[in-house]
């Protein structure tokens, strides 16, 4: 069966021949025809019923996008990028991870993933106090679920950063309302992004009765938030005689910024925490697959209870 790497070169050759914008379904239909797939290959499914080739084609598309060889001109569609169009595919026998590592954007993607994977695995192995080969099946499932979540968080951040500041402001509103703040969504939407008052991007009710207010700073940044940014937010809070503030960013906070915020009771939400909350409250994500892990009900086999 074809892997997602096996599909890369045929897909690019197909796109070179047509040079049009494809939907995933259109690319799948053309690809299985070009590959002359057998009925068995076309009909093979995963345990949850999804088509294997179609599923792996999605990962093919993702990896080629990370390498900068294709781009997304509109939702659910993709086409060759200028870089992808410039490739001489006749010189290639296959496209694999080694080949994709020639492209800086793919290396950055792998670097981000590798760092998260390494940290995640290290933390997990410390928690269970075993080496990887000694993990039980449930522990392996837990580990892999965490790694999948890390990939999802990276993708969420990329999507947020590729959208406008106004989109980010609305996202902040949606998240805070999903978490139970802001009263009605209408009230929250009126508060965020409206004040522009010396470092305060919005004010939102802490509860539905509006008994207390939370002051918001929202920054869709790539650079690390430093102590001066926190100090500015502190000053703005002091001017408003405000007791509670939340600083939300797509990037991260320096150690000095974190220390400064602690002294003033300011809650910091960095990119990692932001995406964790989005997953927790189901904002911008959906369940792809769920399953149950069963264990023996010992009471059912206790003769004294029957």
């Amino acid at each position: 069966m074809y892997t997602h790497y096996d599909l890369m070169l045929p897909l690019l050759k197909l796109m070179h021949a047509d040079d049009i914008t494809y939907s995933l379904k259109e690319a799948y239909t053309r690809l299985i025809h070009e590959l002359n797939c057998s009925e068995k290959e076309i009909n093979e499914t995963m345990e949850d019923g999804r088509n294997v080739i179609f599923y792996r084609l999605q990962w093919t598309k993702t990896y080629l996008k990370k390498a900068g060889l294709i781009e997304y001109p509109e939702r659910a569609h993709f086409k060759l990028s200028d870089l992808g169009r410039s490739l001489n595919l006749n010189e290639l026998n296959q496209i694999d991870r080694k080949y994709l590592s020639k492209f800086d954007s793919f290396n950055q993607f792998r670097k981000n993933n590798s760092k998260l994977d390494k940290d995640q695995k290290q933390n997990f192995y410390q928690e269970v106090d075993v080496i990887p080969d000694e993990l039980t099946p449930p522990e392996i499932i837990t580990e892999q679920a965490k790694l999948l979540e890390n990939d999802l968080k990276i993708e969420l951040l990329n999507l947020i950063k590729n959208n406008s500041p106004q989109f980010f402001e609305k996202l902040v509103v949606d998240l805070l309302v999903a978490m139970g703040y802001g009263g009605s969504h209408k009230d929250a939407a009126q508060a965020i992004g409206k004040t522009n008052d010396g470092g305060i991007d919005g004010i939102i009710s802490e509860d539905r009765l509006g008994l207390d207010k939370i002051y918001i700073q929202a920054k869709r940044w790539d650079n690390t938030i430093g102590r001066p940014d926190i100090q500015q937010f502190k000053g703005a809070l002091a001017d408003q005689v405000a007791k509670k503030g939340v600083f939300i960013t797509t990037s991260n906070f320096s150690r000095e910024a974190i220390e400064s915020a602690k002294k003033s009771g300011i809650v910091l939400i960095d990119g990692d925490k932001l995406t964790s909350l989005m997953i927790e409250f189901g904002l911008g994500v959906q369940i792809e697959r769920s399953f149950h892990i069963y264990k023996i009900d010992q009471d059912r086999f206790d003769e004294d209870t029957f």
Side-chain angles (χ1 to χ4, degrees), residues 143-154:
E143 176 204 353
Q144 294 301 316
K146 288 181 178 180
L147 296 180
L148 284 172
E149 182 174 304
N150 281 333
D151 283 340
L152 177 59
K153 289 164 75 172
I154 291 171

Side-chain angles (χ1 to χ4, degrees), residues 232-285:
Q232 182 184 11
F233 189 39
K234 278 186 184 181
L237 293 176
D239 289 343
Q240 299 294 324
V241 197
K243 299 178 181 179
K244 300 177 181 179
V246 178
F247 200 123
I248 303 176
T249 183
T250 51
S251 60
N252 51 30
F253 298 94
S254 69
R255 184 175 59 184
E256 293 78 13
I258 293 172
E259 291 300 320
S260 179
K262 283 181 181 178
K263 295 175 182 177
S264 302
I266 296 174
V267 175
L268 302 181
I269 299 178
D270 61 11
D272 183 69
K273 180 66 173 177
L274 172 64
T275 50
S276 293
L277 290 171
M278 289 176 66
I279 294 171
E280 180 180 350
F281 289 93
L283 180 62
V285 299

Side-chain angles (χ1 to χ4, degrees), residues 50-89:
R50 287 178 296 177
N51 182 277
V52 172
I53 295 180
F54 190 85
Y55 175 74
R56 291 177 178 171
L57 178 58
Q58 295 179 64
W59 282 102
T60 297
K61 177 174 67 73
T62 296
Y63 274 49
L64 292 177
K65 171 66 166 59
K66 296 299 183 184
L69 303 181
I70 64 173
E71 57 190 17
Y72 300 165
E74 56 184 298
R75 185 178 179 183
H77 288 75
F78 57 98
K79 67 176 184 178
L80 284 173
S81 66
D82 290 339
L83 178 61
R85 199 174 287 110
S86 70
L87 296 180
N88 185 353
L89 302 181

Side-chain angles (χ1 to χ4, degrees), residues 219-238:
K219 295 295 185 187
R220 188 182 60 95
W221 283 6
D222 289 320
N223 298 329
T224 298
I225 303 294
R227 186 173 179 274
D229 302 296
I230 302 299
Q231 290 296 109
Q232 182 184 11
F233 189 39
K234 278 186 184 181
L237 293 176

Side-chain angles (χ1 to χ4, degrees), residues 110-126:
R110 294 305 306 174
K111 180 180 178 182
N112 291 340
N113 260 351
S114 296
K115 184 179 185 303
L116 284 171
D117 291 356
K118 181 179 179 182
D119 293 343
Q120 196 74 50
K121 286 181 178 180
Q122 216 168 32
N123 292 336
F124 181 81
Y125 296 146
Q126 288 172 353

Side-chain angles (χ1 to χ4, degrees), residues 2-12 31 35 52-54 56-58 60 64:
Y2 297 101
T3 68
H4 58 290
Y5 284 116
D6 292 333
L7 298 175
M8 290 183 184
L9 186 55
L11 177 61
L12 286 178
L31 199 57
L35 293 173
V52 172
I53 295 180
F54 190 85
R56 291 177 178 171
L57 178 58
Q58 295 179 64
T60 297
L64 292 177

